[in-house]
Each structure stands twice: as structure tokens, then as C-alpha cells.
Amino acid sequence: EIVLTQSPGTLSLSPGERATLSCRASQSVSSNYLAWYQQKPGQAPRLLISDASSRATGIPDRFSGSGSGTGFTLTISRLEPEDFAVYYCQQYGSSPGTFGQGTKVEIK
Amino acid sequence: QLQLQESGPGLVKPSETLSLTCTVSGASISSSNYYWGWIRQPPGKGLEWIGSIYSRGSTSHNPSLTSRVTISVDTSKNQFSLKLSSVTAADTAVYYCARPDLEWRRGAFDIWGQGAMVTVSS
């Protein structure tokens, strides 16, 4: 099973700042099948990025994903008020698909 | 517009079987090549993939749950279901059904149900 470790656990930033979230895998993610989700309290997760760098339908271009192999990054170029949430990465290149433990982006 | 809706008991007794159904509307399960998934989230914790079922019936499960999980599909009702046996308090969670963004893969879920909270308690 591939273990995904997200860092930092919490990111305290102000609106307009840049957010950089990391997801490290315990072994290489096949075909870079790595997704990023955003989750707000009481809501289902929302897919932001698939295949490490492809934005999902309707996702603003301030969200971008990068990386390959065992290291992946989600970047939010300029934080909007609605971006403060918990973010999860997920690998689906090998079974079982696994999620990271999450990074909370909070308002500073 | 594709929508998923979980349904089932919100309270299950320890050692009994948790049963949930996901009803798909806006598309036919049988006319596509998607792996329909179940994911859960204990209160205040992260996400865990439970398993997925292909529209033709083949399944894959999280090895940590394999011995207790059954996932099935009923194409006549456009539904797929989850059964988790011998539940304990550790199975208390919000259970989501979801569909990946593309056919033939088991992740990158872009359509989610609203979630069903299931509490295991006597």
C-alpha cells in the first residue's frame, strides 16, 4: 500500500497569498495518477486536479498541480476567501487507492 | 446532470451489518465503463477508499476491509450497494458514493453523493 504524507498539517495564510501544499508518496505513483481534493466542513470533497496536473472541469486556474514519481505539489497562486479549507491528495495508480491525511489552509 | 444519493440506516448496532445504497440519476450505470466507488470519513478524520465496482460487476476492495466488505450493483434499479459486516465503533463515519472523472479508473472522483452518516452504537 502506498502511504501519502501531506505537509504541512496546517498552513496559515492571508487572502491574496500563495499556498504551496506537498504530498509525498512512500513509493512511486504509477502513471502519476495523483489527485487533489478540496473539502469544506459538512461537504463532500471536490476534485481539483487529476493526473497530477490536469485541472478538473470548472476549477479556477489559480489552482495548479505539479510533480511526478513520489513528490507532488498543489499550488494556489492567490488565495481567495473561499479557498480556506482542507486539501487531500489521493493516489489511484495502484490498489488500494490511498489518501493523504490532509492539509488545512486557514486564515491567518 | 449526474447525481448520486446514498441511503440507508443511520444507526447500526455493533457486530451487525451496515448496508448502504447509492442511487444514480442522470446516467445509466450499465451503459458506461466506470468504477463506482465507496469512500468513508470518520468524524474529524481523513478519507478512506473502501472499494469500487465496475458497471459489469467486478469489484476491488481495500485489503484492510476485504473480509467484511461486499459491493454489488443492480443495473435494473441504477444502484450500487455496500455491505460492511461485523461493524464496530471504528466504522462510524460519513459514507460517500462517488464516480471517477474518467471511465476505466478507480480514482479522481469528481461526482460525489452528499454522504450518509452512519453511527455504530448499541
Side-chain angles (χ1 to χ4, degrees), chain B residues 36-102:
Chain B
W36 303 85
W38 286 101
I39 299 99
R40 70 178 182 178
Q41 185 172 37
K45 297 188 178 180
L47 300 160
E48 180 183 32
W49 174 75
I50 299 170
S52 295
I53 186 164
Y54 178 54
S55 55
R56 308 295 189 269
S58 63
T59 60
S60 56
H61 308 128
N62 192 319
S64 67
L65 299 169
T66 291
S67 62
R68 299 194 292 132
V69 168
T70 302
I71 299 176
S72 60
V73 63
D74 185 337
T75 55
S76 67
K77 296 182 178 179
N78 221 33
Q79 297 175 333
F80 61 105
S81 299
L82 168 70
K83 291 187 186 299
L84 182 65
S85 63
S86 305
V87 297
T88 69
D91 295 309
T92 293
V94 176
Y95 286 76
Y96 295 102
C97 57
R99 194 206 73 177
D101 60 345
L102 296 178

Side-chain angles (χ1 to χ4, degrees), chain A residues 1 33 35 37 39 42-47 49-51 56 88 90 92 95-101, chain B residues 39 41 45-49 60-64 96 101-102 105-110 112-115:
Chain A
E1 171 176 322
Y33 282 158
Y37 300 86
Q39 188 178 34
Q43 297 183 14
R46 174 194 182 196
L47 180 67
I49 302 286
S50 63
D51 300 343
Y88 294 96
Q90 180 210 13
Y92 48 98
S95 188
T98 48
F99 291 88
Q101 82 279 17
Chain B
I39 299 99
Q41 185 172 37
K45 297 188 178 180
L47 300 160
E48 180 183 32
W49 174 75
S60 56
H61 308 128
N62 192 319
S64 67
Y96 295 102
D101 60 345
L102 296 178
R105 63 184 184 187
R106 293 176 176 83
F109 296 103
D110 72 334
W112 294 69
Q114 65 183 29

